Short mmCIF file of all heavy atoms in Angstrom, two decimals:
data_model
loop_
_atom_site.label_atom_id
_atom_site.label_comp_id
_atom_site.label_asym_id
_atom_site.label_seq_id
_atom_site.Cartn_x
_atom_site.Cartn_y
_atom_site.Cartn_z
N ALA T 19 19.16 -4.65 -3.14
CA ALA T 19 19.28 -3.88 -1.90
C ALA T 19 17.93 -3.24 -1.55
O ALA T 19 17.50 -3.25 -0.39
CB ALA T 19 20.34 -2.80 -2.05
N ARG T 20 17.23 -2.69 -2.57
CA ARG T 20 15.92 -2.09 -2.32
C ARG T 20 14.89 -3.15 -1.93
O ARG T 20 14.02 -2.92 -1.10
CB ARG T 20 15.45 -1.32 -3.55
CG ARG T 20 16.17 0.01 -3.75
CD ARG T 20 15.83 0.65 -5.07
NE ARG T 20 16.39 1.99 -5.18
CZ ARG T 20 16.47 2.68 -6.30
NH1 ARG T 20 16.02 2.14 -7.44
NH2 ARG T 20 16.98 3.90 -6.31
N LYS T 21 14.99 -4.31 -2.56
CA LYS T 21 14.10 -5.41 -2.21
C LYS T 21 14.27 -5.79 -0.74
O LYS T 21 13.28 -5.95 0.00
CB LYS T 21 14.39 -6.61 -3.10
CG LYS T 21 13.67 -7.89 -2.70
CD LYS T 21 14.11 -9.06 -3.57
CE LYS T 21 13.58 -10.38 -3.05
NZ LYS T 21 14.03 -11.52 -3.87
N ALA T 22 15.53 -5.91 -0.29
CA ALA T 22 15.79 -6.27 1.10
C ALA T 22 15.27 -5.19 2.05
O ALA T 22 14.71 -5.50 3.11
CB ALA T 22 17.29 -6.48 1.31
N THR T 23 15.41 -3.92 1.65
CA THR T 23 14.94 -2.82 2.49
C THR T 23 13.42 -2.84 2.61
O THR T 23 12.85 -2.64 3.69
CB THR T 23 15.40 -1.47 1.91
OG1 THR T 23 16.82 -1.48 1.76
CG2 THR T 23 15.00 -0.33 2.83
N LEU T 24 12.73 -3.09 1.48
CA LEU T 24 11.27 -3.14 1.49
C LEU T 24 10.76 -4.28 2.37
O LEU T 24 9.81 -4.12 3.15
CB LEU T 24 10.74 -3.30 0.06
CG LEU T 24 10.83 -2.06 -0.83
CD1 LEU T 24 10.56 -2.44 -2.29
CD2 LEU T 24 9.84 -0.99 -0.37
N LEU T 25 11.38 -5.46 2.23
CA LEU T 25 10.94 -6.62 3.02
C LEU T 25 11.25 -6.41 4.50
O LEU T 25 10.49 -6.89 5.36
CB LEU T 25 11.61 -7.88 2.50
CG LEU T 25 11.17 -8.34 1.10
CD1 LEU T 25 12.00 -9.53 0.64
CD2 LEU T 25 9.69 -8.70 1.09
N LYS T 26 12.33 -5.72 4.81
CA LYS T 26 12.65 -5.45 6.20
C LYS T 26 11.63 -4.49 6.81
O LYS T 26 11.23 -4.63 7.96
CB LYS T 26 14.05 -4.85 6.31
CG LYS T 26 14.51 -4.60 7.74
CD LYS T 26 15.93 -4.08 7.78
CE LYS T 26 16.37 -3.85 9.23
NZ LYS T 26 17.76 -3.32 9.30
N LYS T 27 11.17 -3.53 5.99
CA LYS T 27 10.21 -2.54 6.47
C LYS T 27 8.81 -3.14 6.64
O LYS T 27 8.15 -2.94 7.67
CB LYS T 27 10.16 -1.37 5.47
CG LYS T 27 9.02 -0.39 5.67
CD LYS T 27 9.21 0.48 6.89
CE LYS T 27 8.11 1.54 6.97
NZ LYS T 27 8.23 2.38 8.17
N PHE T 28 8.35 -3.89 5.62
CA PHE T 28 6.97 -4.37 5.63
C PHE T 28 6.82 -5.83 6.06
O PHE T 28 5.71 -6.29 6.32
CB PHE T 28 6.34 -4.17 4.24
CG PHE T 28 6.17 -2.72 3.87
CD1 PHE T 28 7.10 -2.10 3.05
CD2 PHE T 28 5.12 -1.99 4.36
CE1 PHE T 28 6.96 -0.76 2.71
CE2 PHE T 28 4.97 -0.65 4.03
CZ PHE T 28 5.89 -0.03 3.21
N GLY T 29 7.91 -6.58 6.09
CA GLY T 29 7.85 -7.96 6.57
C GLY T 29 7.56 -8.99 5.50
O GLY T 29 8.08 -10.10 5.55
N SER T 30 6.73 -8.67 4.52
CA SER T 30 6.38 -9.61 3.47
C SER T 30 5.77 -8.85 2.31
O SER T 30 5.37 -7.68 2.44
CB SER T 30 5.37 -10.66 3.98
OG SER T 30 4.14 -10.04 4.28
N VAL T 31 5.68 -9.54 1.16
CA VAL T 31 5.06 -8.93 -0.02
C VAL T 31 3.57 -8.73 0.23
O VAL T 31 2.97 -7.76 -0.26
CB VAL T 31 5.32 -9.80 -1.27
CG1 VAL T 31 4.54 -9.26 -2.47
CG2 VAL T 31 6.80 -9.83 -1.60
N ALA T 32 2.95 -9.65 0.98
CA ALA T 32 1.52 -9.53 1.27
C ALA T 32 1.22 -8.23 2.01
O ALA T 32 0.24 -7.53 1.71
CB ALA T 32 1.05 -10.72 2.09
N ARG T 33 2.06 -7.86 2.98
CA ARG T 33 1.86 -6.61 3.70
C ARG T 33 2.20 -5.41 2.82
O ARG T 33 1.58 -4.35 2.94
CB ARG T 33 2.71 -6.60 4.96
CG ARG T 33 2.25 -7.61 6.01
CD ARG T 33 3.12 -7.56 7.24
NE ARG T 33 2.71 -8.55 8.22
CZ ARG T 33 3.38 -8.80 9.35
NH1 ARG T 33 4.49 -8.13 9.62
NH2 ARG T 33 2.94 -9.71 10.20
N LEU T 34 3.19 -5.59 1.96
CA LEU T 34 3.56 -4.51 1.04
C LEU T 34 2.39 -4.20 0.10
O LEU T 34 2.14 -3.03 -0.22
CB LEU T 34 4.80 -4.91 0.24
CG LEU T 34 5.32 -3.90 -0.81
CD1 LEU T 34 5.66 -2.58 -0.15
CD2 LEU T 34 6.54 -4.48 -1.52
N ARG T 35 1.67 -5.24 -0.32
CA ARG T 35 0.51 -5.03 -1.20
C ARG T 35 -0.55 -4.15 -0.54
O ARG T 35 -1.24 -3.37 -1.21
CB ARG T 35 -0.14 -6.37 -1.57
CG ARG T 35 0.65 -7.25 -2.52
CD ARG T 35 -0.14 -8.52 -2.77
NE ARG T 35 0.63 -9.53 -3.48
CZ ARG T 35 0.72 -9.61 -4.80
NH1 ARG T 35 0.08 -8.73 -5.55
NH2 ARG T 35 1.43 -10.57 -5.37
N LYS T 36 -0.70 -4.26 0.78
CA LYS T 36 -1.74 -3.52 1.50
C LYS T 36 -1.33 -2.09 1.79
O LYS T 36 -2.17 -1.28 2.22
CB LYS T 36 -2.08 -4.24 2.80
CG LYS T 36 -2.68 -5.63 2.60
CD LYS T 36 -2.97 -6.30 3.94
CE LYS T 36 -3.56 -7.69 3.73
NZ LYS T 36 -3.83 -8.37 5.02
N ALA T 37 -0.06 -1.77 1.61
CA ALA T 37 0.42 -0.41 1.89
C ALA T 37 0.02 0.54 0.76
O ALA T 37 -0.34 0.12 -0.35
CB ALA T 37 1.93 -0.42 2.06
N THR T 38 0.09 1.83 1.04
CA THR T 38 -0.16 2.85 0.02
C THR T 38 1.17 3.28 -0.59
O THR T 38 2.25 3.04 -0.01
CB THR T 38 -0.86 4.06 0.63
OG1 THR T 38 0.00 4.66 1.62
CG2 THR T 38 -2.17 3.65 1.29
N ALA T 39 1.09 3.95 -1.74
CA ALA T 39 2.31 4.44 -2.39
C ALA T 39 3.03 5.43 -1.48
O ALA T 39 4.27 5.46 -1.44
CB ALA T 39 1.96 5.08 -3.73
N ALA T 40 2.26 6.23 -0.73
CA ALA T 40 2.87 7.20 0.18
C ALA T 40 3.66 6.50 1.28
O ALA T 40 4.76 6.95 1.67
CB ALA T 40 1.79 8.09 0.78
N GLU T 41 3.13 5.40 1.79
CA GLU T 41 3.84 4.65 2.84
C GLU T 41 5.10 4.01 2.28
O GLU T 41 6.14 3.97 2.95
CB GLU T 41 2.92 3.59 3.42
CG GLU T 41 1.77 4.14 4.23
CD GLU T 41 0.76 3.09 4.64
OE1 GLU T 41 0.68 2.06 3.94
OE2 GLU T 41 0.06 3.29 5.65
N VAL T 42 5.01 3.49 1.05
CA VAL T 42 6.20 2.88 0.43
C VAL T 42 7.27 3.93 0.18
O VAL T 42 8.48 3.67 0.31
CB VAL T 42 5.81 2.19 -0.89
CG1 VAL T 42 7.04 1.64 -1.60
CG2 VAL T 42 4.82 1.06 -0.62
N ALA T 43 6.87 5.17 -0.16
CA ALA T 43 7.82 6.24 -0.44
C ALA T 43 8.60 6.68 0.78
O ALA T 43 9.62 7.36 0.65
CB ALA T 43 7.09 7.43 -1.06
N THR T 44 8.14 6.30 1.99
CA THR T 44 8.89 6.65 3.20
C THR T 44 10.11 5.76 3.42
O THR T 44 10.94 6.06 4.28
CB THR T 44 7.97 6.55 4.44
OG1 THR T 44 7.53 5.20 4.60
CG2 THR T 44 6.76 7.47 4.30
N VAL T 45 10.20 4.68 2.67
CA VAL T 45 11.35 3.77 2.80
C VAL T 45 12.58 4.44 2.19
O VAL T 45 12.51 4.97 1.07
CB VAL T 45 11.06 2.43 2.10
CG1 VAL T 45 12.28 1.52 2.15
CG2 VAL T 45 9.85 1.76 2.72
N PRO T 46 13.70 4.44 2.87
CA PRO T 46 14.92 5.07 2.32
C PRO T 46 15.29 4.47 0.96
O PRO T 46 15.30 3.25 0.79
CB PRO T 46 15.98 4.73 3.38
CG PRO T 46 15.21 4.53 4.65
CD PRO T 46 13.91 3.93 4.24
N GLY T 47 15.56 5.35 0.01
CA GLY T 47 15.95 4.90 -1.32
C GLY T 47 14.80 4.70 -2.28
O GLY T 47 15.00 4.34 -3.45
N ILE T 48 13.56 4.89 -1.82
CA ILE T 48 12.36 4.70 -2.66
C ILE T 48 11.71 6.07 -2.89
O ILE T 48 11.21 6.70 -1.95
CB ILE T 48 11.34 3.75 -2.02
CG1 ILE T 48 12.01 2.42 -1.65
CG2 ILE T 48 10.16 3.52 -2.95
CD1 ILE T 48 12.51 1.62 -2.82
N SER T 49 11.73 6.53 -4.14
CA SER T 49 11.12 7.81 -4.48
C SER T 49 9.61 7.65 -4.64
O SER T 49 9.09 6.52 -4.70
CB SER T 49 11.71 8.36 -5.77
OG SER T 49 11.40 7.51 -6.86
N THR T 50 8.91 8.77 -4.73
CA THR T 50 7.46 8.73 -4.92
C THR T 50 7.10 8.04 -6.23
O THR T 50 6.18 7.23 -6.30
CB THR T 50 6.88 10.15 -4.90
OG1 THR T 50 7.22 10.77 -3.64
CG2 THR T 50 5.36 10.12 -5.05
#
């Protein structure tokens, strides 16, 4: 479920790699 939420937010793992931890923490269900 968290994987699907992350991919929906960032579109791909490549874009997720370029994000910061703070940006990832804004996704619902993802703590700092």
Side-chain angles (χ1 to χ4, degrees):
R20 285 172 173 166
K21 171 185 171 182
T23 304
L24 287 168
L25 292 175
K26 184 177 180 180
K27 169 72 174 178
F28 294 99
S30 67
V31 173
R33 291 181 182 174
L34 179 59
R35 289 180 190 273
K36 296 179 180 179
T38 63
E41 291 172 335
V42 176
T44 62
V45 176
I48 306 296
S49 64
T50 302

